[in-house]
Amino acid sequence: MRSFLSGALLALLASTKTSAYPATAISPGAVCTGTFSAISASDFVSNLHPGWNLGNTLDAIPDEGSWNNVPVVASTFDTVKSAGFKTWLQRVSDVVDMIVARGFYAIVNVHHDSWAWADVTQSGANLTMIEERFYRLWYQIGTKLACKSSLVAFESINEPPCNTEADAAEINKLNRIFLQAINDAGGFNPERVVTLVGGGEDSIKTSEWFVAPSGFPNPYAIQFHYYSPYDFIFSAWGKTIWGSDDDKSALQSDFQLLRDNFTDVPLILGEYDASPTNTEPAARWKYVDFLVKTAASFDISCVLWDNGLDHLDRTAGTWRDPNSISMITNSNESTTNSLPGSTEDGSATTQSSSAYIFHQYGTDVTEQSLPFVFNSNTLSSISDSTGSKLSLGTDYSVSGENIIFTAAYLSKHLSSTTAPGIVASLTLQFSGGDSSPVIQIVQWTPPTLSSTSVAASSVSGSDLSIPITWGGLPTVAAVKALTESGIYLFDDWTVYLGPIQQARATYSSHYNWDASHVIITSSAISSVISAGESSVFTFEFYPRDNGVVNGVNFTLTV
Ligand SMILES: *[C@@H]1O[C@H](CO)[C@@H](O)[C@H](O)[C@H]1NC(C)=O
Ligand SMILES: *[C@@H]1O[C@H](CO)[C@@H](O)[C@H](O)[C@H]1NC(C)=O
Ligand SMILES: *[C@@H]1O[C@H](CO)[C@@H](O)[C@H](O)[C@H]1NC(C)=O
Ligand SMILES: *[C@@H]1O[C@H](CO)[C@@H](O)[C@H](O)[C@H]1NC(C)=O
């Protein structure tokens, strides 16, 4: 559900009316012809890795196609299969058929219902109504899909909100109602693998409060989701770096708690996503490498969330970040991936990244040394986008764990007056591992905005799009927001963070960008009006230098 859209429900339901829960004598339920090749939950889970979510599609409201994706076409699954994935989450009979026809595993869930009518945390929630409706929903889905093969599993409910132990107990009950409903629906359902969920599909709440229902025949796995750390995944508070020992041990410990609580239950990480739309590549590759390998070490199978804007360009049939996909689809616990070095220390005042060779407009071209984490491999080759290989010695050299590009080579692409932008892409191959990072040569200069201020009151009520002339990468790294008296416009506790995180806003909630604009959201404009003081938004870009040079200010006046 890594979506910034608020949501409702899976467009599925057959019109059949069934009796209210608890069911009495609906049996025998569906009767199937053919046979069902029963599979254990642990085989199902280990076979489905690596998996892929068809996100923001069948869960879109009001209809498939209403959000950022066109309706599902079969060729999308061919692209996903050729990348090496083996599963999907979601939807209904015809898409399930498209999926299993290609030999994939499929997991069908009810998705945004958890926000719409099935939220057990709402004060005054009518739990009886939720339970009855949930039973009827799963009875209908169970009937419709009763005769699908053992490649198809069901998941009770996506990310049910949960704040307390009592909420968690109700979610445990919903898991039981789900199992009752699909078993009553008959067919092959009693033998079907199911994935059960704990509160929010959160690893901690699940490890604390999940209890599996007893008395049902289905093989089951536990599914959880992981979008942590929140600030890195969602670009909050200027957290554009990842990879410190603390970052790693937090992820390790979250997975460990869950595994240690459920030592003999198959575990599926059913959603995770460090998106190329908003995370810095060197940080993202470190995260993907560590997450995939840590999951493998705990025998956890992974299913990538992809909302259509993240990984697969479903129209072009191409992956936006092939290096992440390569590690996700190939790496295991013992793989040694070579990765670009980058800033990991939260107290840093600038951010470096060897995913780029940055050169500033107006300065001389000199040799550049990129630190890498070789991880016991050697560099085999560097090739440009035409496929020609760079010459070791003339174009680059390797010294320790640094790749040094000569001034002569860089001068083939750059001069002090080259127009800002991405001027070349280089693919690095190593002797081992699954990582072949594509690094970019970027000419940069601070971007310019078409205007530098506006009265907040004149633009309140909607998002403000400000035309920008980009000065390098067409991406915003972070935004600092201060009132004219120096008060943090958002989250004053960020004063305790490092210099490139203090007073920083949150992507999507407060700011955004498109191909030719930076955007201040209506909610951020409201914050300025409430603060009652003119406020400066400093947009920062890569390479991040704390807004000193590579930033641009926009003032909302009050
Ligand atoms: C709760 O839902 C049940 C079942 O739909 C209904 O009979 C009952 O009247 C509802 N209770 C309230 C307080 O609305
Ligand atoms: C189970 O999970 C809880 C909550 O996360 C944790 O406190 C506890 O230590 C875990 N148990 C084991 C055996 O790891
Ligand atoms: C990891 O993958 C390599 C191939 O890339 C394979 O040789 C090795 O056996 C795998 N190790 C484990 C623990 O699965
Ligand atoms: C933006 O404004 C702040 C103070 O409001 C100033 O310190 C900073 O130098 C400005 N940055 C740029 C890039 O103009």
Side-chain angles (χ1 to χ4, degrees):
M1 91 96 205
R2 183 189 187 278
S3 138
F4 303 104
L5 301 163
S6 59
L9 57 141
L10 180 74
L12 156 69
L13 304 193
S15 54
T16 2
K17 291 258 190 305
T18 69
S19 67
Y21 173 81
T24 46
I26 297 172
S27 59
V31 176
C32 307
T33 55
T35 55
F36 185 86
S37 312
I39 181 170
S40 69
S42 61
D43 284 348
F44 188 99
V45 168
S46 59
N47 291 350
L48 69 75
H49 178 89
W52 180 82
N53 276 278
L54 178 65
N56 283 17
T57 308
L58 300 167
D59 53 320
I61 328 166
D63 294 307
E64 183 179 354
S66 300
W67 287 355
N68 52 292
N69 292 297
V70 296
V72 180
V73 291
S75 61
T76 294
F77 301 120
D78 295 325
T79 312
V80 172
K81 183 162 190 175
S82 59
F85 286 101
K86 297 190 190 150
T87 345
W88 285 269
L89 285 172
Q90 296 197 63
R91 214 252 249 217
V92 235
S93 198
D94 58 336
V95 174
V96 165
D97 289 343
M98 281 182 205
I99 293 169
V100 298
R102 286 162 175 76
F104 288 101
Y105 292 82
I107 303 175
V108 178
N109 69 12
V110 299
H111 207 84
H112 295 308
D113 309 61
S114 50
W115 309 343
W117 56 266
D119 181 350
V120 304
T121 68
Q122 291 290 316
S123 75
N126 184 339
L127 298 180
T128 309
M129 182 280 289
I130 292 173
E131 291 165 12
E132 289 178 2
R133 194 166 169 186
F134 195 65
Y135 176 87
R136 289 199 295 270
L137 176 64
W138 269 112
Y139 184 81
Q140 291 174 49
I141 301 169
T143 301
K144 179 114 182 143
L145 304 182
C147 298
K148 298 296 182 197
S149 81
S150 59
L151 292 175
V152 179
F154 298 154
E155 179 197 8
S156 51
I157 186 163
N158 180 74
E159 295 185 12
C162 173
N163 301 323
T164 63
E165 189 166 2
D167 298 339
E170 183 62 26
I171 292 161
N172 289 333
K173 189 171 178 187
L174 291 180
N175 282 324
R176 187 166 67 72
I177 291 168
F178 153 76
L179 284 164
Q180 184 69 54
I182 62 167
N183 277 277
D184 287 348
F188 297 136
N189 291 337
E191 293 180 85
R192 191 174 299 291
V193 171
V194 295
T195 75
L196 303 176
V197 305
E201 302 202 61
D202 172 88
S203 63
I204 303 294
K205 289 173 188 167
T206 302
S207 59
E208 271 186 302
W209 294 326
F210 173 84
V211 180
S214 58
F216 295 95
N218 301 77
Y220 79 93
I222 294 174
Q223 186 175 156
F224 73 109
H225 294 173
Y226 199 72
Y227 291 110
S228 208
Y230 164 85
D231 48 6
F232 173 64
I233 297 298
F234 293 94
S235 297
W237 315 308
K239 168 80 172 169
T240 52
I241 64 179
W242 192 90
S244 67
D245 289 348
D246 285 350
D247 285 336
K248 289 179 174 171
S249 65
L251 188 152
Q252 167 99 19
S253 142
D254 289 343
F255 286 17
Q256 174 117 42
L257 284 179
L258 195 61
R259 175 45 84 203
D260 288 354
N261 272 275
F262 303 105
T263 49
D264 55 355
V265 182
L267 295 177
I268 302 179
L269 171 51
E271 291 187 17
Y272 67 102
D273 176 26
S275 176
T277 59
N278 67 295
T279 56
E280 193 283 320
R284 174 170 70 249
W285 292 331
K286 287 181 182 178
Y287 180 84
V288 168
D289 168 73
F290 190 75
L291 180 145
V292 168
K293 291 168 61 178
T294 304
S297 75
F298 291 116
D299 200 15
I300 295 171
S301 289
C302 301
V303 186
L304 179 67
W305 180 253
D306 189 357
N307 74 7
L309 300 174
D310 299 321
H311 296 278
L312 178 62
D313 180 335
R314 296 188 204 164
T315 311
T318 53
W319 296 97
R320 295 189 177 92
D321 176 10
N323 199 39
S324 286
I325 299 302
S326 173
M327 291 187 280
I328 286 166
T329 53
N330 297 314
S331 292
N332 63 34
E333 189 183 349
S334 47
T335 309
T336 55
N337 288 320
S338 302
L339 298 167
S342 60
T343 302
E344 295 169 354
D345 174 3
S347 65
T349 53
T350 61
Q351 176 175 3
S352 69
S353 166
S354 298
Y356 298 102
I357 299 171
F358 284 118
H359 177 258
Q360 188 177 1
Y361 183 90
T363 65
D364 291 340
V365 178
T366 54
E367 75 170 27
Q368 285 216 39
S369 180
L370 300 187
F372 262 72
V373 182
F374 279 83
N375 204 0
S376 82
N377 301 314
T378 54
L379 178 64
S380 318
S381 69
I382 303 177
S383 36
D384 65 21
S385 50
T386 70
S388 23
K389 288 196 160 63
L390 277 62
S391 163
L392 178 62
T394 314
D395 297 333
Y396 70 97
S397 60
V398 177
S399 168
E401 296 216 288
N402 297 285
I403 303 173
I404 300 154
F405 291 85
T406 63
Y409 176 72
L410 294 176
S411 297
K412 292 182 184 172
H413 295 287
L414 293 167
S415 73
S416 70
T417 56
T418 302
I422 299 165
V423 301
S425 295
L426 303 174
T427 303
L428 278 55
Q429 297 286 351
F430 292 88
S431 59
D434 305 310
S435 167
S436 305
V438 176
I439 66 171
Q440 294 177 313
I441 304 178
V442 178
Q443 177 88 333
W444 71 272
T445 193
T448 51
L449 301 179
S450 68
S451 61
T452 56
S453 76
V454 72
S457 58
S458 70
V459 293
S460 73
S462 54
D463 292 353
L464 172 65
S465 288
I466 308 157
I468 185 170
T469 303
W470 299 104
L473 295 171
T475 303
V476 175
V479 175
K480 186 174 193 174
L482 288 174
T483 72
E484 64 189 354
S485 66
I487 295 168
Y488 289 14
L489 196 58
F490 312 109
D491 302 310
D492 54 7
W493 60 267
T494 58
V495 69
Y496 298 111
L497 301 178
I500 62 170
Q501 291 200 254
Q502 290 167 358
R504 279 3 180 241
T506 294
Y507 168 60
S508 184
S509 303
H510 304 140
Y511 70 91
N512 213 320
W513 67 91
D514 64 22
S516 53
H517 303 85
V518 292
I519 296 161
I520 298 175
T521 65
S522 107
S523 138
I525 296 167
S526 300
S527 299
V528 173
I529 293 169
S530 310
E533 272 188 45
S534 298
S535 300
V536 177
F537 288 73
T538 305
F539 290 85
E540 292 169 61
F541 308 89
Y542 296 111
R544 286 191 71 184
D545 63 1
N546 208 5
V548 174
V549 176
N550 201 9
V552 61
N553 282 341
F554 188 88
T555 306
L556 282 173
T557 59
V558 169

